[in-house]
Amino acid sequence: MIIKEINIRKMKMTMKHPFTTSFGTFQEKEFLLLEVKDELGNTGWGESVAFHSPWYSEETLKTNLHIIQDFLIPLILGKEIGHPDEVSALFGSIRKNNMAKSTVEGAIWDLYAKCNKMTLAEALGGKLDKIEVGISIGIEENVEDLIELVRGFVEEGYKRIKVKIKPGYDVEVLRELRKRFPDVPLMADANSAYTLKDINLLKQLDDFNLTMIEQPLASDDIIDHANLQNELTTPICLDESIHSLEDTRKALELGSCKVINIKIGRVGGLTEAKKIHDYCMVRNIPVWCGGMLESGIGRAHNIALTTLPNFILPGDTAGSSRYWEEDIVSPEIVVEEGFITVPLNYGIGYEPNLKAMDKYTVEEINYKA
Ligand code: OSB
Ligand code: MG
């Protein structure tokens, strides 16, 4: 494949419901899409999962645009690429900026799968024809509202419920949820809202039979998490702390967690995500696919990744209608009885819905070799 053309779209979509975490509330979702074209006119799509503000990580929409335009595009435009695994080597001279790299690499994976008449899942080595889906629910001011939300999603068939917690919105909320839903697979995500000083409070979470607690401590920590894991029976899952296979190795060697949340953007792309998956699989460490409130393009990449065999736990890969009045892919992504059927069309398997996409496009930038 010779990369002949690259098209970037700055997007702005409004989420159906505001989504609140311990670090802030989202409703307007601004993000980037990137399309690559080869010499035969085949195309591939990628999505940047960086948010408008550096809350979740240091990357933002604007830093992604800067890194993609000024550094990554010059490294691939006009170049011949045999396999997407080569892209990480091409980007080797650029430190970090994983979400920016992943945007471009994801588009090249989609292109590669299409050129080779495979689904992206097949290109990655995934075997599942349907995947189990969980849902992540933001912080609600009123606990009764949260309970009604959970009830609705349980009835829809979601395979596990994740709720966000923060200091002052934790033990009592989880106690109420457990009382109402004694058997539902339930987990909590703190997005780094606690420190080891909260250890006595965090130990109380062991009473609720949670599948796991996600990223309780600092976003750059693995040492304190290891100390905490020693004191908890609930498995810790790391999200923010994991940016690479190396981070994974160190966290597992230290005993900082028992589960890994893999987000393609956070680890710099599908190639690294697959390496983390493989490393965890041989060590009996289950992984699952996290979400970043993506549009259908990013979500399609997540679905393909989740077909790998060690994605044992349901991911945050809810359907399009969870987030959007109208998604930008066709067909939209649907969850039926807690499963998404993996699409059989080549590449990411969902077509960009250009009519919808154009509606939410703020600006387009085109590069030709
Ligand atoms: O920590 O997993 C997270 C959303 C935004 C930023 C971080 C996170 C989340 C979610 C929602 O939990 C995932 C999704 O539904 O896409
Ligand atoms: Mg998380």
Side-chain angles (χ1 to χ4, degrees):
M1 319 176 282
I2 301 171
I3 307 299
K4 282 290 193 189
E5 194 177 330
I6 295 175
N7 201 35
I8 298 176
R9 284 173 185 251
K10 286 196 211 169
M11 305 293 294
K12 187 171 184 173
M13 289 170 73
T14 304
M15 299 203 325
K16 260 186 177 168
H17 312 284
F19 188 90
T20 300
T21 71
S22 60
F23 52 75
T25 297
F26 299 82
Q27 179 129 40
E28 294 302 322
K29 170 86 182 172
E30 290 175 72
F31 62 99
L32 303 175
L33 291 175
L34 185 140
E35 184 186 14
V36 291
K37 281 193 191 145
D38 73 358
E39 73 280 16
L40 303 171
N42 296 308
T43 64
W45 288 85
E47 174 168 341
S48 158
V49 299
F51 295 114
H52 173 270
S53 311
W55 290 332
Y56 169 83
S57 77
E58 64 276 29
E59 291 185 82
T60 69
L61 179 91
K62 280 193 185 167
T63 70
N64 271 217
L65 194 58
H66 163 52
I67 296 292
I68 291 170
Q69 291 182 304
D70 298 342
F71 298 102
L72 303 182
I73 288 181
L75 289 170
I76 59 156
L77 194 59
K79 296 274 165 61
E80 178 154 14
I81 294 172
H83 189 279
D85 285 347
E86 294 163 23
V87 176
S88 29
L90 284 173
F91 291 168
S93 58
I94 312 289
R95 294 245 164 105
K96 299 189 179 175
N97 291 289
N98 282 355
M99 293 175 182
K101 290 174 179 169
S102 169
T103 309
V104 180
E105 197 238 35
I108 293 174
W109 267 103
D110 181 28
L111 175 67
Y112 170 80
K114 283 175 182 151
C115 288
N116 289 280
K117 302 201 173 346
M118 289 188 276
T119 65
L120 179 58
E122 280 170 330
L124 290 164
K127 298 271 190 291
L128 292 181
D129 53 17
K130 54 181 188 169
I131 61 161
E132 280 196 304
V133 182
I135 195 158
S136 173
I137 305 175
I139 288 168
E140 289 290 322
E141 278 183 21
N142 179 324
V143 178
E144 284 307 313
D145 291 348
L146 175 70
I147 287 163
E148 284 321 302
L149 275 176
V150 171
R151 193 183 310 286
F153 292 130
V154 169
E155 278 165 12
E156 272 185 59
Y158 281 98
K159 299 283 181 189
R160 79 70 182 115
I161 301 289
K162 159 170 145 183
V163 293
K164 296 289 187 179
I165 55 169
K166 63 175 185 181
Y169 181 93
D170 41 39
V171 177
E172 289 317 314
V173 173
L174 289 166
R175 192 189 312 284
E176 276 307 308
L177 283 173
R178 252 305 166 239
K179 211 160 50 187
R180 316 287 179 102
F181 308 98
D183 303 319
V184 165
L186 181 66
M187 61 175 286
D189 184 357
N191 288 109
S192 300
Y194 299 90
T195 71
L196 271 187
K197 289 190 186 133
D198 302 307
I199 191 151
N200 288 328
L201 182 141
L202 293 167
K203 276 183 177 176
Q204 292 180 55
L205 303 184
D206 277 342
D207 292 344
F208 306 127
N209 186 27
L210 303 179
T211 331
M212 70 194 98
I213 170 167
E214 184 176 345
Q215 196 72 35
L217 309 179
S219 63
D220 58 358
D221 168 77
I222 52 173
I223 306 272
D224 288 356
H225 278 101
N227 290 325
L228 178 63
Q229 182 66 88
N230 258 327
E231 301 290 322
L232 295 185
T233 54
T234 307
I236 292 177
C237 169
L238 289 178
D239 173 354
E240 282 90 329
S241 292
I242 303 293
H243 303 97
S244 61
L245 173 62
E246 268 300 283
D247 286 351
T248 307
R249 176 181 69 78
K250 290 168 187 168
L252 294 181
E253 280 185 17
L254 274 176
S256 319
C257 65
K258 294 179 178 167
V259 181
I260 302 271
N261 167 337
I262 300 184
K263 288 183 182 168
I264 304 167
R266 166 163 48 66
V267 304
L270 282 164
T271 296
E272 191 76 8
K274 192 167 145 53
K275 284 184 193 165
I276 295 172
H277 163 274
D278 295 351
Y279 184 89
C280 289
M281 183 149 135
V282 295
R283 286 161 183 80
N284 286 318
I285 298 293
V287 303
W288 56 279
C289 185
M292 291 286 277
L293 312 172
E294 293 95 337
S295 80
I297 298 287
R299 211 151 278 288
H301 288 259
N302 292 343
I303 294 166
L305 180 66
T306 304
T307 62
L308 294 174
N310 194 39
F311 281 85
I312 290 169
L313 298 156
D316 282 344
T317 44
S320 301
S321 66
R322 156 77 175 133
Y323 309 92
W324 318 110
E325 289 296 349
E326 173 186 49
D327 203 344
I328 56 175
V329 293
S330 170
E332 295 209 349
I333 296 164
V334 285
V335 176
E336 286 165 320
E337 285 162 36
F339 289 95
I340 292 174
T341 303
V342 180
L344 297 173
N345 295 328
Y346 299 145
I348 58 173
Y350 298 86
E351 286 299 313
N353 175 348
L354 292 174
K355 210 170 141 219
M357 216 178 249
D358 285 346
K359 257 197 253 177
Y360 307 111
T361 300
V362 180
E363 191 184 339
E364 268 192 82
I365 312 158
N366 188 261
Y367 298 83
K368 286 197 172 77

